[in-house]
Amino acid sequence: MKLFDKVKCKGFYKPFKDGRWLYLDRETLTADAMDNNLADGNNDGTVEKNVEYIEKTYFKHVDKNFIGVIVGYKNIVIKGYLDAVYQDECDVGVGVIPEAFYVSKRAKETVKCAVVYYANNLKHYVPLEDLEALP
């Protein structure tokens, strides 16, 4: 399918906030897996202590029929990992970078999608297997 082709779509990927994140304790250099969905008056949302990474969901698939126009293609990350990374200080030639403790993203599942506009200024990310060309 080419750009600006009219297509019939069976579903799309919608952004999803799963509430999972990493809490970094810079004093002990540990990371805790947190989930906002589990937090209440008694629990702060801690899932597991002292983890190296957690799995996170960024998009979920929605089944819905609609018609639109392809305006581009994009690879989107459906699922991924959040890694707790500790880096000692190192000499890079220009200067010494101090130690760092940060969160890094890593892709687990990527899907090639078409960017489909179905109304004025409204778009969806449609996986290629959910597209059907219209005459």
Side-chain angles (χ1 to χ4, degrees):
M1 282 173 257
K2 302 181 309 237
L3 293 180
F4 308 112
D5 281 351
K6 197 170 184 179
V7 290
K8 180 180 177 183
C9 306
K10 298 176 196 161
F12 62 94
Y13 280 105
K14 177 180 179 180
F16 179 66
K17 297 184 191 298
D18 67 353
R20 296 176 57 91
W21 54 284
L22 285 177
Y23 171 75
L24 301 179
D25 187 358
R26 297 191 187 284
E27 293 176 8
T28 61
L29 295 176
T30 59
D32 297 340
M34 307 292 279
D35 192 343
N36 288 342
N37 299 324
L38 300 176
D40 58 12
N42 301 331
N43 186 2
D44 64 350
T46 303
V47 177
E48 190 177 348
K49 293 196 171 283
N50 199 8
V51 297
E52 293 181 16
Y53 67 91
I54 61 168
E55 188 173 318
K56 183 163 179 63
T57 303
Y58 296 105
F59 286 88
K60 71 175 185 176
H61 191 268
V62 176
D63 292 326
K64 183 177 181 184
N65 294 323
F66 63 95
I67 293 175
V69 176
I70 297 176
V71 296
Y73 294 95
K74 183 176 182 176
N75 290 329
I76 61 171
V77 177
I78 305 301
K79 291 185 179 183
Y81 298 105
L82 295 178
D83 296 321
V85 178
Y86 176 74
Q87 180 179 5
D88 287 330
E89 60 184 40
C90 63
D91 186 8
V92 292
V94 180
V96 175
I97 298 175
E99 65 181 9
F101 189 45
Y102 58 93
V103 175
S104 173
K105 291 183 179 180
R106 181 170 40 111
K108 176 183 178 186
E109 183 179 337
T110 306
V111 175
K112 182 166 182 145
C113 293
V115 180
V116 176
Y117 275 80
Y118 60 95
N120 193 19
N121 289 331
L122 298 174
K123 69 179 176 185
H124 284 314
Y125 296 118
V126 181
L128 299 181
E129 59 268 6
D130 287 350
L131 290 174
E132 181 181 322
L134 288 176

